[in-house]
Amino acid sequence: LLHGLPCNSERFYDLSGSLTHLCLIGTALVQDSPRSLRQVVVSLAGVVWCCRLGTFLFLRIEKDGRDARFDALKKNPLRFLGAWTIQALWVSLVQLPVILVNDRVDTAPLSAVDGVCATFWVLGFIVETLADVQKFVWRCDKENHGRFITVGLWRYARQPNYFGEILMWCCLSTMATHAAMDAPDFNRIVFAWASPLFTAFLLLKV
């Protein structure tokens, strides 16, 4: 924010978002009570996700020199400020599963549900990462300028990276919900699912 607004630059937008994610996860994880394996796994998944995505987006903007998403926003200082402000809301809502699973003593035993969710989280991570790399390589070829990628995973889905992203947060939300079932807490269950719903809304509508 201190660099972005004075310089009217989005260069560090995604890196600052990743740092905010890490700070939030760290705050949620560092508690007085012992951490359960589920809490460690969910938190580690959040760290791996934000480090991978933040690094990829930063490398992309370094190569392109700009992020087209911000072209219109930068013309209006208030709208550009809004983008940075909304980033904090985005981080808070996306990380709700991590926050909710860590802000209580986790006494729910691990089950097949956790194993299935962890497995599908890894699948979602691989799909998103592979899709991002495939599109990045595709865009590096000047002959593909203005064309839509239809190779690799993009041959089978219009936005495989969106699929991977939504799948990952659905898995973490399911794990957070499962943990809350030990001492049923309707609010925790509902709020945990605000994360994938908000992510899907941003990706598909915004």
Side-chain angles (χ1 to χ4, degrees), residues 103-116:
D103 75 341
R104 59 181 287 176
V105 177
D106 182 16
T107 58
L110 292 175
S111 71
V113 173
D114 298 291
V116 170

Side-chain angles (χ1 to χ4, degrees), residues 4-140:
L5 291 181
C7 299
N8 197 35
S9 170
E10 71 279 18
R11 181 181 181 186
F12 297 110
Y13 184 86
D14 294 302
L15 276 186
S16 71
S18 295
L19 180 59
T20 307
H21 277 289
L22 289 174
C23 290
L24 192 59
I25 294 170
T27 301
L29 187 59
V30 180
Q31 303 287 341
D32 293 333
S33 58
R35 298 292 91 187
S36 69
L37 180 58
R38 179 187 292 108
Q39 290 170 325
V40 172
V41 168
V42 170
S43 301
L44 181 60
V47 170
V48 171
W49 168 82
C50 76
C51 288
R52 200 290 305 180
L53 184 61
T55 301
F56 170 75
L57 294 176
F58 179 70
L59 291 176
R60 188 177 69 179
I61 197 173
E62 283 291 284
K63 176 185 178 298
D64 294 342
R66 68 184 183 91
D67 188 331
R69 296 175 300 173
F70 293 90
D71 287 350
L73 294 176
K74 289 192 296 183
K75 296 177 182 179
N76 186 316
L78 288 179
R79 292 185 65 191
F80 193 40
L81 174 62
W84 290 88
T85 304
I86 290 175
Q87 184 184 81
L89 174 64
W90 168 65
V91 171
S92 300
L93 287 177
V94 167
Q95 292 295 342
L96 274 175
V98 179
I99 296 171
L100 293 173
V101 83
N102 277 295
D103 75 341
R104 59 181 287 176
V105 177
D106 182 16
T107 58
L110 292 175
S111 71
V113 173
D114 298 291
V116 170
C117 287
T119 301
F120 275 92
W121 186 92
V122 173
L123 174 62
F125 181 81
I126 292 174
V127 168
E128 182 181 47
T129 302
L130 185 57
D132 282 342
V133 171
Q134 288 175 344
K135 188 172 184 180
F136 184 81
V137 173
W138 167 272
R139 293 176 69 243
C140 288

Side-chain angles (χ1 to χ4, degrees), residues 128 161-171 196 199-200 203-204:
E128 182 181 47
N161 52 343
Y162 288 4
F163 167 76
E165 178 79 359
I166 296 170
L167 176 61
M168 281 189 287
W169 289 108
C170 283
C171 290
T199 296
L203 292 177
L204 302 177

